[in-house]
Amino acid sequence: MFDLGARSVIEKLLPVVDNFERGLGSIGPDQKVDESFANGMDMVYKQLLKLFEDLGVQAIETEGKEFDPNLHNAVMHVDDEKYGENMIAQEFQKGYKYKDTVIRHSMVQVAN
Amino acid sequence: MGKIIGIDLGTTNSCVAVMEGGKPVVIANTEGVRTTPSVVAFTKTGERLVGEPAKRQAVTNAEKTISSIKRKMGTDYKVQIDDKKYSPQEISAMILQKMKADAENYLGEKVTEAVITVPAYFNDAQRQATKDAGKIAGLDVKRIINEPTAAALAYGLDNEKEQTLQQPATTSSAVMTLMQRSHSGCSTNSRRTKA
């Protein structure tokens, strides 16, 4: 029961992680950003990831993996010879596992 | 004697409940959700998926994913998957099997009996098909009851109001039911609008 409780809290924190990634990803090389500020943001983000890791929260791997409906949620399909049968072509949103359960399925595009 | 489960076999979602201490309790599925998508899929690897996983792979395996099979109940429609043909009863049975398994998981005992709800407008053939689906799933269907009646029972068991207009929150059709309660019993009158 306690595990389930933690689960629902973690679920609500995931969008924060997503937004950290979006924010940090928007810093381009030609953009004028205070470097110490950017580093600080990065450190807070890493701290959050470390905390998740310690709690048993894991990101679901998608790159180069075969699509698995137990872990991934297919929202798009593409025919592309570059990829093998039923392989993940692109990830739209990161998914997370907590201990043995999936908190959020990764949102993906599946090839062939 | 084992417990009897109540199954709402819906067009888009299905739900299972059991009486506990005189009150109906909805049973969450293995994924922890109270409703299970009425979707069945056969993967490229030959595996059969029911519910959430089937829905998650629907866009990438559209030809072998079956949804809204309830619309075909009572007809001689067949779904062709590879070289096998499935009747709507068989597909519905796969959904019922999943509901049954989830209920067994929750109760920790075998379940052999069930009550299944159908829309009030279902004809004899559609009702019989639903019964058959239960049989295929290994369930002795004790009763087929009308969805508005089931809702009225759930609502009206301990409600004293004389007249109630109810509109269930459904995903695929809209039914309005007027429920009237008198000293001699309870009556329901439903009208449907196709969504």
Side-chain angles (χ1 to χ4, degrees), chain B residues 6-9 17 19 24 115-120 143-157 166 168 177 179 186 188 190:
Chain B
I7 303 173
D8 171 4
L9 184 60
M19 289 300 273
V115 171
I116 305 174
T117 62
V118 294
R143 198 83 69 90
I144 291 282
I145 62 172
N146 288 338
E147 284 160 12
T149 311
L153 282 169
Y155 175 81
L157 274 179
Q166 60 158 17
T177 300
M179 200 178 118
C186 183
T188 59
S190 302

Side-chain angles (χ1 to χ4, degrees), chain B residues 65-113:
Chain B
T65 304
I66 309 138
S67 57
S68 302
I69 196 67
K70 189 178 174 180
R71 296 238 165 90
K72 303 286 183 204
M73 286 298 263
T75 67
D76 44 22
Y77 172 87
K78 292 273 190 303
V79 196
Q80 176 123 25
I81 303 286
D82 296 328
D83 48 357
K84 263 186 126 177
K85 277 187 178 170
Y86 296 93
S87 65
Q89 289 93 308
E90 287 173 283
I91 300 295
S92 292
M94 292 169 195
I95 300 163
L96 290 174
Q97 255 163 15
K98 155 93 175 144
M99 306 313 289
K100 177 177 179 265
D102 282 337
E104 285 174 345
N105 211 354
Y106 172 84
L107 295 166
E109 60 182 49
K110 280 255 161 254
V111 174
T112 53
E113 295 167 314

Side-chain angles (χ1 to χ4, degrees), chain B:
Chain B
M1 203 188 80
K3 285 200 166 170
I4 301 182
I5 52 169
I7 303 173
D8 171 4
L9 184 60
T11 310
T12 8
N13 290 296
S14 293
C15 186
V16 60
V18 71
M19 289 300 273
E20 274 185 347
K23 282 213 158 66
V25 175
V26 172
I27 300 171
N29 59 24
T30 42
E31 290 87 18
V33 195
R34 284 154 53 97
T35 56
T36 303
S38 305
V39 183
V40 176
F42 297 84
T43 65
K44 288 160 189 165
T45 50
E47 201 187 343
R48 190 207 289 164
L49 299 170
V50 183
E52 296 282 353
K55 200 178 171 187
R56 279 197 293 270
Q57 56 83 64
V59 287
T60 173
N61 185 26
E63 318 83 56
K64 290 195 203 171
T65 304
I66 309 138
S67 57
S68 302
I69 196 67
K70 189 178 174 180
R71 296 238 165 90
K72 303 286 183 204
M73 286 298 263
T75 67
D76 44 22
Y77 172 87
K78 292 273 190 303
V79 196
Q80 176 123 25
I81 303 286
D82 296 328
D83 48 357
K84 263 186 126 177
K85 277 187 178 170
Y86 296 93
S87 65
Q89 289 93 308
E90 287 173 283
I91 300 295
S92 292
M94 292 169 195
I95 300 163
L96 290 174
Q97 255 163 15
K98 155 93 175 144
M99 306 313 289
K100 177 177 179 265
D102 282 337
E104 285 174 345
N105 211 354
Y106 172 84
L107 295 166
E109 60 182 49
K110 280 255 161 254
V111 174
T112 53
E113 295 167 314
V115 171
I116 305 174
T117 62
V118 294
Y121 59 80
F122 255 29
N123 62 29
D124 273 349
Q126 291 167 308
R127 281 163 206 266
Q128 191 53 50
T130 307
K131 254 190 161 167
D132 292 344
K135 208 170 187 180
I136 300 167
L139 289 165
D140 173 15
V141 182
K142 287 286 174 199
R143 198 83 69 90
I144 291 282
I145 62 172
N146 288 338
E147 284 160 12
T149 311
L153 282 169
Y155 175 81
L157 274 179
D158 41 28
N159 205 302
E160 294 300 310
K161 260 191 204 160
E162 265 182 19
Q163 227 181 44
T164 313
L165 194 62
Q166 60 158 17
Q167 188 193 12
T170 61
T171 23
S172 43
S173 66
V175 184
M176 290 287 271
T177 300
L178 179 67
M179 200 178 118
Q180 282 172 308
R181 199 188 167 97
S182 66
H183 52 88
S184 57
C186 183
S187 73
T188 59
N189 197 342
S190 302
R191 287 286 177 274
R192 170 175 76 129
T193 46
K194 265 194 187 156

Side-chain angles (χ1 to χ4, degrees), chain A residues 16-17 20-21 24 38-55 57 94 96:
Chain A
V16 181
V17 180
F20 258 117
E21 282 163 3
L24 291 167
N39 284 340
M41 285 287 282
D42 195 43
M43 279 161 77
V44 181
Y45 166 61
K46 295 244 165 77
Q47 185 186 14
L48 191 59
L49 281 193
K50 174 80 174 50
L51 181 120
F52 268 10
E53 204 185 300
D54 292 346
L55 285 172
V57 181
K94 244 188 188 168
Y96 290 90

